[in-house]
Amino acid sequence: MIKFLDLARQNSEITSDVERKFAQIHHNTSYIDGPQVAEFEAEFAAYLSARRVIGVGSGTDALRLALIAAGIGAGDEVITVPSTFIATAAAIIQAGATPSFVDIDPMMGTMDPRALASYLEAGRFRSKNGPRAIVPVHLYGLPAAMNEIGEIAKQFRLAVIEDACQAHGARIFSAGRWKMAGAIGEAGCFSFYPGKNLGAWGEAGAVATNDEGIAERVLRLRNHGRMSHFAHQDCGYNARLDTIQAAVLSAKLKRLDAWNARRREIADTYRHLLIDCDLQTPNHLDDVESSYHLFVIRSQRRDAIRQALLENQIECGIHYPVPLHLQPALRSLGYNAGDFPVSENWSDSILSLPIHPHMQDADVTQVVKTIRSCLEPKASTPIVGNPVSTGEASFARG
Ligand SMILES: Cc1ncc(COP(=O)(O)O)c(C=O)c1O
């Protein structure tokens, strides 16, 4: 069996670190708001070169609270992409706003700045106040085109709230220096769902920002709108980061760069070994460094490749088989099939291959061998219907 992700191997690297921290937490019974939370926040802020990081309960909390803290609410529209996990749009709705979609770049899979510009220029908006913010998604760990999106945001006076839930440690070269994904816009939102590059042992998330006003509002909102124990400025949420999750995250953060480096090595190997195959591997750009949360290939024979992998005990996944504008939960937004052809085409052709820091070279070779055998002319494997059946990798929720 070749696993999509091996969390047990990751855990074995951090056990002694975490056990020491857990002993302190249990001794102090500081399960809520223990000192490990502020410690992790400071460490992650330093890692991102962001002024502030506020730990929250999940990536969805991070997006919702960052949007509310940036002043987004009822009557506002927030522009994002259909090619993402549902939480991106759900958080916009939870903040009281209306999501609207623009299509993705056919080569990169992230928000197409040209589509964004034409949508804004056309001026046919979907809510009373029109667009107030953009949520670019750094999908699969690949940073969106932040330079171009930033220019457009400036021109139309929109906030940029990054969905960096899949992009811990990804970077983009901008204005003469490398910037960390999630620390470029007004706020960046991270998920620490266990399967992420930086994953907790349960639910967790964080907002990164250089804006003190946003930081203070998120800080209040995550903790029932509290100013002091019994004084509440807002009706906030219970969206705090657990102390024990913060302890796990601190231990893993020390290893994140090494783990991401190994992911990049595996991605390069896949790219090299698949170069002459009739499929697309993720585009490589010199000024963008993906964290390869997922390694996603595209092929018209996706279903046949997927079946061959599963038959050979190789876990794989589809992220995501249904673009958001076609999800039943978002039907009320009024979109139809055909509205975002690039996103729809990606959903029909993408396949996520196993990639994780503890994956062996021999496993990478085996995955490639299986793909190659299936793409050879003799292969005429029937197409399978349900893309989320048994054997599908489940640790990459988003
Ligand atoms: C792109 C994206 N946005 C948002 C989320 C939501 O994060 P969480 O599951 O921690 O709420 C995820 C991950 O699950 C994600 O991948």
Side-chain angles (χ1 to χ4, degrees), residues 301 303-305 307-308 311 373-375 377-384:
R301 305 208 55 224
D303 292 330
I305 299 173
Q307 183 162 314
E311 276 169 4
S373 68
C374 153
L375 288 178
K378 66 178 168 43
S380 60
T381 331
I383 290 190
V384 281

Side-chain angles (χ1 to χ4, degrees), residues 329-346:
L330 299 173
R331 196 173 287 136
S332 64
L333 296 177
Y335 289 109
N336 296 303
D339 284 349
F340 302 103
V342 184
S343 295
E344 290 169 32
N345 179 279
W346 273 59

Side-chain angles (χ1 to χ4, degrees), residues 27-190:
H27 179 76
N28 300 329
T29 62
S30 51
Y31 301 110
I32 304 294
D33 213 17
Q36 289 78 5
V37 173
E39 261 166 48
F40 169 69
E41 289 172 337
E43 289 160 5
F44 198 44
Y47 179 80
L48 296 172
S49 299
R51 198 185 292 243
R52 300 281 297 274
V53 162
I54 296 101
V56 294
S58 67
T60 312
D61 283 345
L63 285 160
R64 182 178 73 242
L65 300 195
L67 286 163
I68 298 172
I72 308 301
D76 297 336
E77 183 176 327
V78 176
I79 305 171
T80 189
V81 285
S83 282
T84 179
F85 183 55
I86 188 145
T88 313
I92 294 168
I93 293 169
Q94 289 162 13
T98 304
S100 58
F101 298 124
V102 296
D103 217 341
I104 54 170
D105 180 292
M107 297 309 290
M108 309 309 294
T110 52
M111 181 178 279
D112 185 343
R114 293 159 303 186
L116 175 65
S118 19
Y119 177 72
L120 287 165
E121 278 155 14
R124 285 189 297 278
F125 300 132
R126 309 177 69 85
S127 74
K128 185 159 61 72
N129 305 339
R132 297 277 318 283
I134 305 168
V135 178
V137 182
H138 306 315
L139 196 69
Y140 313 146
L142 179 72
M146 292 304 288
N147 293 334
E148 292 84 346
I149 291 169
E151 283 304 313
I152 297 168
K154 216 183 290 169
Q155 188 189 341
F156 289 89
R157 299 165 148 272
L158 304 174
V160 177
I161 308 294
E162 294 168 72
D163 183 334
C165 287
Q166 301 188 6
H168 321 73
R171 306 192 301 171
I172 184 162
F173 197 75
S174 166
R177 66 184 176 92
W178 285 97
K179 294 182 183 167
M180 302 299 282
I184 303 169
E186 271 72 16
C189 304
F190 291 88

